[in-house]
Amino acid sequence: MARAALPGRLSWQLGRVTATARETARAKTLVLDVPHWPGHRTGQHVDVRLTADDGYQAERSYSIASAPEDDGIMLTIDRLEDGEVSPYLTDVLEPGDTLELRGPIGGYFVWDASLRGPLLLISGGSGIVPLRAMLRHWAAVRPPVAVRLLHSARSLDDVIYHDELIRLAAFEELDVRIALTRAWPDDWRGHRGRIDRDFLEDAAWPAQDQPRIYVCGPTAFVETTAAALVESGQRPDSIKTERFGSTGG
Amino acid sequence: MSPPSRGFLGRRRSGVDPSRVPPGQHLTRGFPVLSAGPTPRTEVADWSFTIDGAVEEPTSWRWEAFIALPTDQITVDIHCVTKWSKLDTSWRGVSLDTLLKTVETKAEYLTAWCDGGYTTNLALEDVLGGKAWVAYEYDGEPLAPEHGGPARLLVPHLYFWKSAKWVRGLRLTETDEPGFWENYGYHNHGDPWLEQRYQGD
């Protein structure tokens, strides 16, 4: 029973920022050393808690961007213009600072290399973060599983992990397809426009190949994509979704 | 005690009654959508609602019969475990007092089950006495599929994953059987005021 595998209490603990990396104009990756990290599976998230001098606190959840094989826990934060927590994490936090967090959380939207069947990852914007953890895990373990990442961004400059995706695409069994929805270079050979049903039918394995499908992104992106996958014949129970609301984080 | 986060000021909302916002939550004006898979789309012509399990006689309603049941207009605050809260949300639905009155049972728990395969468990004491509804209107409109339409459970005093979307029935049980998220490490009860987010909280 899944019940026996439940974790114990998730305690708050302090991680220390060891490095930061700019991903795009809006997104930044934090690398954290978390002394009592119990390990995680790709797709899981952490809760982060900030405390002001007067004791006021704000909590948010962020997907884990690193694989279990990586050194440190990585979080990639998309800066929301009117956010309370994300601008602090992207603009104020520096190496040497501490960050209170607990996790890992979530056991459904997860993938690990022991799972068979082709892996179809579909993301919009910062929805790529938990899928990137899956890609890094795949690259570290190299299981006999074919992988496709279909990623949608507004422009090339908005593609989080762009250089890393190019490197990953060099693996024979790993296919990266990027859709740019607003602007693209003149010589852009990827998809122009949104990920739609035609694009999905071209890029997805047929249902009889039993792909495992993970869709992550803003609510409207996930709603549209998951509906198009079902309409094109994919089994609803093969599709796991994670949606970001406009929660002012 | 949490140490202060260097340089974090926080943004306290003016005009918000803090007694309405549980610990760790913040307010949203939108209505975020969170679900684990594709949105099921069930036509009301194909919809029914069933109470079965540990009952003398199961009961079931087709859509037309269900919406003919007495309804409540409900205005409540809702709290999602992903940390957003939304105040003064307005719903119409049938009270679980009304629904459960129709069956004889010694059960103390129920499992709500849904189109798409989702389940969640609740103690009867958490859903009786004007605490829970099967809601099919939001803000005066039919409940949209992405928010759980045709009908969803509404249990506003617990985290919102207990308010199961696309609900189709209640299975009464004599023992408490963890549902979907409860089996993935989320808290069995889920009281936002006690911040019962995850197992062990």
Side-chain angles (χ1 to χ4, degrees):
Chain A
M1 268 305 285
R3 206 174 175 181
L6 287 175
R9 182 179 162 75
L10 288 168
S11 301
W12 289 100
Q13 56 175 312
L14 283 179
R16 185 168 296 279
V17 180
T18 57
T20 66
R22 170 69 54 195
E23 303 288 356
T24 68
R26 282 173 42 160
K28 196 173 189 180
T29 295
L30 309 175
V31 186
L32 295 152
D33 175 34
V34 185
H36 305 292
W37 186 248
H40 70 279
R41 290 188 289 160
T42 63
Q44 291 188 294
H45 65 273
V46 295
D47 281 3
V48 164
R49 180 162 73 183
L50 302 180
T51 304
D53 287 342
D54 64 357
Y56 168 87
Q57 292 186 319
E59 282 183 36
R60 297 293 188 276
S61 298
Y62 292 100
S63 292
I64 299 169
S66 48
E69 294 79 11
D70 284 316
D71 287 331
I73 301 305
M74 298 182 212
L75 306 179
T76 300
I77 313 298
D78 190 24
R79 185 188 196 282
L80 302 179
E81 202 47 59
D82 59 348
E84 178 182 25
V85 171
S86 60
Y88 173 85
L89 297 176
T90 57
D91 301 357
V92 180
L93 209 62
E94 292 175 352
D97 284 333
T98 57
L99 181 63
E100 196 175 26
L101 55 82
R102 64 173 181 161
I105 296 156
Y108 183 71
F109 192 86
V110 297
W111 181 80
D112 71 66
S114 66
L115 296 172
R116 292 294 172 259
L119 178 61
L120 181 60
L121 307 176
I122 309 173
S123 53
S126 61
I128 195 173
V129 174
L131 309 187
R132 186 258 199 155
M134 297 176 189
L135 291 171
R136 289 175 75 88
H137 178 50
W138 181 93
V141 177
R142 297 292 309 279
V145 171
V147 189
R148 277 179 203 152
L149 170 72
L150 317 181
H151 178 62
S152 167
R154 276 174 287 202
S155 74
L156 208 49
D157 287 340
D158 292 308
V159 177
I160 300 173
Y161 315 128
H162 175 267
D163 294 354
E164 184 171 318
L165 296 179
I166 301 293
R167 286 197 300 275
L168 285 167
F171 286 110
E172 188 67 26
E173 316 88 319
L174 199 158
D175 186 14
V176 174
R177 302 191 192 184
I178 295 176
L180 299 179
T181 59
R182 300 251 180 98
W184 42 81
D186 287 341
D187 58 350
W188 177 244
R189 291 191 295 171
H191 184 75
R192 302 178 182 195
R194 295 180 183 281
I195 292 179
D196 55 15
R197 186 168 159 184
D198 285 346
F199 181 79
L200 289 169
E201 287 183 357
D202 179 52
W205 288 275
Q208 60 263 32
D209 291 355
Q210 298 184 301
R212 290 175 191 274
I213 308 175
Y214 296 76
V215 185
C216 187
T219 291
F221 174 86
V222 174
E223 278 294 315
T224 309
T225 304
L229 287 164
V230 173
E231 283 162 19
S232 69
Q234 302 290 349
R235 292 167 47 111
D237 63 4
S238 70
I239 306 166
K240 298 188 178 198
T241 61
E242 187 106 302
R243 304 161 206 238
F244 300 161
S246 51
T247 59
Chain B
M1 268 301 283
S2 305
S5 313
R6 180 189 62 79
F8 177 65
L9 303 174
R11 191 178 56 196
R12 297 147 185 80
R13 291 263 191 147
S14 56
V16 170
D17 177 358
S19 73
R20 292 178 70 181
V21 185
Q25 297 292 110
H26 63 277
L27 296 185
T28 180
R29 287 196 194 84
F31 193 167
V33 172
L34 292 142
S35 18
T39 295
R41 283 162 209 278
T42 302
E43 300 296 326
V44 294
D46 302 321
W47 188 93
S48 61
F49 192 85
T50 302
I51 300 178
D52 62 7
V55 295
E56 297 279 317
E57 193 81 44
T59 321
S60 189
W61 296 266
R62 307 286 308 197
W63 180 259
E64 293 302 329
F66 193 85
I67 62 171
L69 293 170
T71 58
D72 292 337
Q73 181 67 41
I74 311 127
T75 300
V76 286
D77 302 343
I78 58 177
H79 312 290
C80 178
V81 71
T82 64
K83 316 211 170 51
W84 55 266
S85 291
K86 190 169 170 61
L87 305 185
D88 297 320
T89 62
S90 158
W91 309 79
R92 177 174 291 281
V94 181
S95 162
L96 261 60
D97 295 302
T98 302
L99 297 172
L100 290 168
K101 225 165 38 189
T102 64
V103 293
E104 291 288 327
T105 183
K106 292 196 187 87
E108 290 179 28
Y109 303 94
L110 64 81
T111 293
W113 59 271
C114 309
D115 284 324
Y118 184 76
T119 58
T120 191
N121 56 311
L122 291 151
L124 286 193
E125 64 178 0
D126 273 321
V127 299
L128 293 175
K131 291 182 192 162
W133 296 264
V134 172
Y136 53 80
E137 277 181 24
Y138 174 73
D139 238 355
E141 301 286 337
L143 187 59
E146 65 267 31
H147 291 305
R152 76 178 298 163
L153 217 52
L154 177 65
V155 194
H157 74 103
L158 300 176
Y159 280 125
F160 217 44
W161 87 78
K162 295 284 188 182
S163 295
K165 296 184 211 182
W166 314 302
V167 69
R168 291 292 302 276
L170 308 176
R171 185 160 299 136
L172 275 71
T173 58
E174 285 169 25
T175 55
D176 193 13
E177 293 169 13
F180 182 87
W181 287 121
E182 294 83 3
N183 262 317
Y184 281 116
Y186 283 78
H187 199 277
N188 194 58
H189 184 230
D191 182 341
W193 296 98
L194 301 175
E195 212 172 352
Q196 294 173 335
R197 297 180 193 277
Y198 314 118
Q199 194 199 30
D201 279 354

